[in-house]
Amino acid sequence: MYITMKKYLIVLTMISLWSNSKAQIDRESDKLTLEQVWSEVDLRNKELKLSDMGRKQSVVDILVAKDNKLPSISVLGTTGVNTNLPIYNKGLFSSHDSFAVSRYTYSLGYLLDFDLYDGGKKNRNVEIKKLESARYKNEYDMQRINIRYAAAVIYYDLYKFVQFKQFTESEIETEKKQLETVESLFKNGIVLKSDVLRINVKISQLELTRSEMEKKITIAKQRLNILMGKESDAPISVQQHENIDVLQFSEKSSYIDFVNIAVNRAPDFKISENEYEISNLQLKQVKSAILPKVSFYSNYSYNYPQSSFYPYSQNLWGFGQTGIKASMSLDKLYTNKHAMESAKSKNTQHIQKMEIKKDEIMVNIREAYLQKEQAFEAVKTAEQNIMEITETVRIIRSSYINQESLLTDLLDAENLLLEAKFALTSAQINVVLSHLRLLAKTGII
């Protein structure tokens, strides 16, 4: 019986351990990674959805421009009531003779018009719409990158605040244990009451810091949910690591490499290129305004009665024409001069804007590149500080127990250690964010 019960307890213990392990795995799988956040942002962000509508509309505009190249064909029909026909044989102000005509008139036919040559305006208009569609796409990509980077900043803010809260809670537990030791020393008359009060004050300050972190966590969660297109109060948690491996973000490419990538990939630079190319085509459109327009036309209609040509007839008749017609706007020869100057000026402005944008990109990449180097240096400094301050705390705590140092020295050292932990986490996150900013400026993420 004892053996059976023992086996039963072992089985229950194994099941319990397995269940706890599975629950822990499930909880970890519920925590969002940055890639999952970006997927949600791409799919549900409201600003991106609005921008995507404009991008899709620009594709339709290309089809509309192509439709304008198709032949124009119309069906025409008229009906009317005729008056008698007065003829003034002796002048307008003399009496006239009236001749009866058909009371009603009808016509039905078609009109076909097809441009053979228009100075290339319609073809260029299609190309302009294609470039505008490319600009809309680049604007969408730029907005997606900016929102992704904003989501990454909030994601790591949330990560940082959770870490700070955990550090603070751990410090609170340490101080509570230390308080028990100090109270015991006080009861034995070894330390003063002021030491007990100092630790209580520190615990209160730490609890206030924890409360502040909880509020910041709530705000960060709300912002991240809104970016992901979810309800602002939806539950959310991010994956936590004891330390971020910053070495995976060490840079192998040079500053010039990133500049070259940005010139080829950065959506904001591509937008300036699109606008320059559009201005080139618009300049050609203005130049082509003075060119003649040639088109093929055809029309045919059935009419009643026949009153257009002699001899007149009260019967149904048909008439049509097919041929080539040409036209040229003579006023454009002199009115188009100012339009040309305006188009050339806009084209020159877009060239200048491209140069300004390139300079701006170079400065932004240089700034992000140097920020990343600075963040790596901050990580090394913070790691070294933690090692030194940890040893300092150990020495002072030991000497305080032996009444060789003051409690204020110990509390100050512990505060410095907590600040150093905060600084290390902040520095590690700055490495990640500076890396992501560098990728954002080059148009990679």
Side-chain angles (χ1 to χ4, degrees):
M1 179 68 181
Y2 174 76
I3 296 175
T4 304
M5 181 60 70
K6 186 177 180 180
K7 289 182 178 179
Y8 178 72
L9 290 174
I10 292 173
V11 172
L12 284 179
T13 302
M14 293 178 64
I15 292 175
S16 177
L17 291 173
W18 178 82
S19 298
N20 291 335
S21 176
K22 185 176 185 300
Q24 179 67 25
I25 293 172
D26 290 341
R27 285 194 297 271
E28 289 296 325
S29 64
D30 291 339
K31 294 183 178 180
L32 286 174
T33 64
L34 181 59
E35 288 73 17
Q36 290 172 332
V37 170
W38 282 349
S39 297
E40 292 292 325
V41 166
D42 293 346
L43 185 64
R44 303 177 187 276
N45 183 265
K46 295 174 184 177
E47 293 182 19
L48 281 182
K49 285 183 178 180
L50 182 61
S51 180
D52 194 43
M53 291 178 186
R55 182 168 62 95
K56 290 177 179 177
Q57 179 61 44
S58 68
V59 176
V60 177
D61 290 341
I62 296 175
L63 300 178
V64 172
K66 289 181 178 180
D67 290 342
N68 290 333
K69 295 172 60 178
L70 298 175
S72 171
I73 184 168
S74 306
V75 177
L76 307 175
T78 62
T79 181
V81 179
N82 295 329
T83 65
N84 289 332
L85 179 64
I87 297 180
Y88 298 88
N89 293 317
K90 298 179 181 180
L92 179 62
F93 299 103
S94 62
S95 60
H96 59 270
D97 297 326
S98 295
F99 292 88
V101 297
S102 174
R103 183 63 174 166
Y104 300 100
T105 179
Y106 311 96
S107 68
L108 179 65
Y110 76 89
L111 174 63
L112 173 68
D113 197 300
F114 179 62
D115 287 342
L116 298 177
Y117 177 75
D118 64 348
K121 295 187 192 67
K122 291 185 177 179
N123 287 331
R124 270 192 295 274
N125 190 46
V126 173
E127 294 303 315
I128 288 173
K129 294 300 180 183
K130 287 181 179 179
L131 287 172
E132 288 177 349
S133 179
R135 184 184 62 190
Y136 270 108
K137 181 182 181 301
N138 288 324
E139 288 176 351
Y140 172 82
D141 290 340
M142 183 176 67
Q143 189 171 21
R144 182 178 61 85
I145 287 173
N146 290 338
I147 293 176
R148 275 188 163 200
Y149 179 71
V153 171
I154 298 173
Y155 178 90
Y156 280 105
D157 275 348
L158 180 56
Y159 176 96
K160 178 173 64 177
F161 297 144
V162 171
Q163 287 283 77
F164 286 0
K165 180 186 173 185
Q166 291 175 354
F167 291 152
T168 305
E169 289 175 342
S170 177
E171 187 71 8
I172 289 173
E173 292 301 318
T174 300
E175 291 302 325
K176 285 181 177 179
K177 292 178 181 178
Q178 189 163 265
L179 177 60
E180 294 176 358
T181 302
V182 173
E183 286 177 337
S184 176
L185 294 175
F186 170 69
K187 290 177 181 179
N188 294 325
I190 299 176
V191 299
L192 299 175
K193 179 67 175 179
S194 58
D195 287 357
V196 177
L197 296 176
R198 284 191 181 96
I199 294 183
N200 279 317
V201 169
K202 181 178 180 181
I203 291 174
S204 297
Q205 291 174 340
L206 289 172
E207 288 175 343
L208 183 61
T209 301
R210 179 175 61 184
S211 176
E212 182 184 356
M213 291 301 113
E214 288 173 348
K215 290 179 175 62
K216 289 183 177 181
I217 288 170
T218 300
I219 294 172
K221 285 182 177 181
Q222 183 178 22
R223 288 178 176 173
L224 194 57
N225 275 324
I226 290 174
L227 280 182
M228 292 191 296
K230 296 182 177 182
E231 295 294 330
S232 61
D233 57 350
I236 183 176
S237 61
V238 299
Q239 287 192 349
Q240 296 288 319
H241 307 282
E242 185 175 351
N243 283 304
I244 298 176
D245 182 14
V246 296
L247 293 179
Q248 62 180 313
F249 302 104
S250 57
E251 204 51 68
K252 299 179 179 64
S253 301
S254 67
Y255 157 73
I256 297 300
D257 292 333
F258 281 107
V259 172
N260 292 332
I261 294 172
V263 170
N264 293 318
R265 293 192 56 165
D268 49 348
F269 187 74
K270 285 186 175 182
I271 290 171
S272 63
E273 285 184 327
N274 295 147
E275 291 176 345
Y276 168 68
E277 292 169 352
I278 290 172
S279 69
N280 271 339
L281 291 176
Q282 289 174 338
L283 177 60
K284 292 180 181 179
Q285 289 289 69
V286 174
K287 289 180 178 179
S288 66
I290 62 175
L291 298 176
K293 178 181 178 180
V294 181
S295 61
F296 170 82
Y297 76 95
S298 175
N299 62 74
Y300 195 89
S301 62
Y302 291 100
N303 307 274
Y304 176 84
Q306 193 288 103
S307 57
S308 299
F309 303 101
Y310 185 83
Y312 305 115
S313 172
Q314 296 294 320
N315 298 314
L316 181 69
W317 68 291
F319 178 77
Q321 287 182 323
T322 298
I324 304 293
K325 61 180 179 180
S327 63
M328 182 176 178
S329 179
L330 296 179
D331 63 290
K332 292 294 183 183
L333 295 174
Y334 56 89
T335 61
N336 204 46
K337 179 180 178 181
H338 296 115
M340 284 274 291
E341 291 178 358
S342 176
K344 287 180 180 178
S345 176
K346 290 179 180 178
N347 185 257
T348 304
Q349 290 176 29
H350 283 298
I351 294 175
Q352 194 66 25
K353 286 180 180 179
M354 283 181 60
E355 294 298 322
I356 293 172
K357 179 56 68 174
K358 185 174 181 180
D359 292 340
E360 180 184 335
I361 288 174
M362 291 176 67
V363 171
N364 288 337
I365 290 177
R366 172 73 76 179
E367 183 180 9
Y369 196 87
L370 294 177
Q371 280 181 350
K372 187 173 180 180
E373 291 182 349
Q374 183 65 30
F376 270 105
E377 293 176 6
V379 168
K380 293 179 181 178
T381 301
E383 289 175 341
Q384 184 65 29
N385 288 343
I386 287 178
M387 291 175 60
E388 294 175 355
I389 297 173
T390 300
E391 181 62 17
T392 300
V393 169
R394 187 191 67 79
I395 294 172
I396 295 177
R397 183 175 286 126
S398 177
S399 62
Y400 172 73
I401 298 298
N402 297 324
Q403 290 296 291
E404 296 174 356
S405 63
L406 299 176
L407 179 64
T408 52
D409 295 334
L410 176 59
L411 295 180
D412 288 342
E414 289 173 343
N415 288 336
L416 288 175
L417 181 58
L418 182 60
E419 291 175 3
K421 291 179 180 179
F422 285 3
L424 177 58
T425 300
S426 298
Q428 290 171 339
I429 289 173
N430 286 338
V431 168
V432 180
L433 291 180
S434 60
H435 177 75
L436 293 177
R437 185 186 178 202
L438 192 56
L439 297 183
K441 293 301 179 183
T442 53
I444 295 176
I445 64 171

